[in-house]
Amino acid sequence: MLWSDPENEPPEEMRDMQAMLRRAGILLALAMVLAMFVVGLH
């Protein structure tokens, strides 16, 4: 890494981004399931 921080701990922004990406992934998966369900009903 370019900046000096402890090796084993990622910086705060990176942890926030990872949490946000994880949440977005779960939402996307739920939306896909819901979309398939709706398409299956028609």
Side-chain angles (χ1 to χ4, degrees), residues 26-42:
I26 292 169
L27 280 175
L28 192 64
L30 284 173
M32 290 276 286
V33 170
L34 193 63
M36 283 183 200
F37 186 68
V38 168
V39 167
L41 287 177
H42 288 292

Side-chain angles (χ1 to χ4, degrees), residues 14-35:
M14 199 176 288
R15 267 179 287 159
D16 288 348
M17 198 185 298
Q18 283 174 342
M20 202 165 63
L21 283 172
R22 201 173 299 127
R23 244 176 270 137
I26 292 169
L27 280 175
L28 192 64
L30 284 173
M32 290 276 286
V33 170
L34 193 63

